[in-house]
Amino acid sequence: MIQTCLSKIRCNQEVLLRLLVIVALGYPLTALVSIVISQILPLSKADSVAAASMLSFAIYTAYIMWAFAAKSWQKVAYLSVMLMTAMAACHSMLNWALEAI
């Protein structure tokens, strides 16, 4: 009985930590990916923003599924920070390249 209760507490803690990572890191990551995609798409500015915004829903859904499928929440958090750093670098380079033109 006590072992089952402790197992449930650990399970609930794991779910809460994954939800915290999803909200705290997943949403900004999805927003950065959406910004980079809107800069890359060869459409008019309004069309590329609209397309990237619609695609962001699928990206965030895939991120949530991946976050719950991963073995640990630490891995999700670490890879999210790495991806966010890469997307921020891509965004900076794209801004720099577009200003140079």
Side-chain angles (χ1 to χ4, degrees):
M1 176 77 174
I2 294 175
Q3 185 67 20
T4 315
C5 187
L6 290 176
S7 174
K8 286 181 182 180
I9 290 172
R10 268 188 235 122
C11 184
N12 289 340
Q13 181 183 13
E14 183 79 17
V15 170
L16 287 174
L17 289 170
R18 286 176 193 260
L19 284 172
L20 182 65
V21 168
I22 287 168
V23 171
L25 297 175
Y27 184 77
L29 176 62
T30 304
L32 273 171
V33 169
S34 179
I35 291 169
V36 170
I37 288 173
S38 70
Q39 289 177 331
I40 292 173
L41 287 175
L43 302 169
S44 68
K45 194 170 193 172
D47 288 340
S48 65
V49 169
S53 295
M54 287 186 280
L55 189 58
S56 71
F57 291 107
I59 293 169
Y60 195 49
T61 302
Y63 178 84
I64 291 169
M65 290 189 305
W66 170 71
F68 280 107
K71 290 192 180 215
S72 70
W73 67 270
Q74 293 97 343
K75 181 179 179 181
V76 174
Y78 176 75
L79 288 174
S80 297
V81 170
M82 291 294 124
L83 286 171
M84 215 177 322
T85 305
M87 285 296 116
C90 287
H91 175 60
S92 297
M93 284 189 270
L94 283 169
N95 279 342
W96 177 75
L98 291 174
E99 286 179 8
I101 293 177

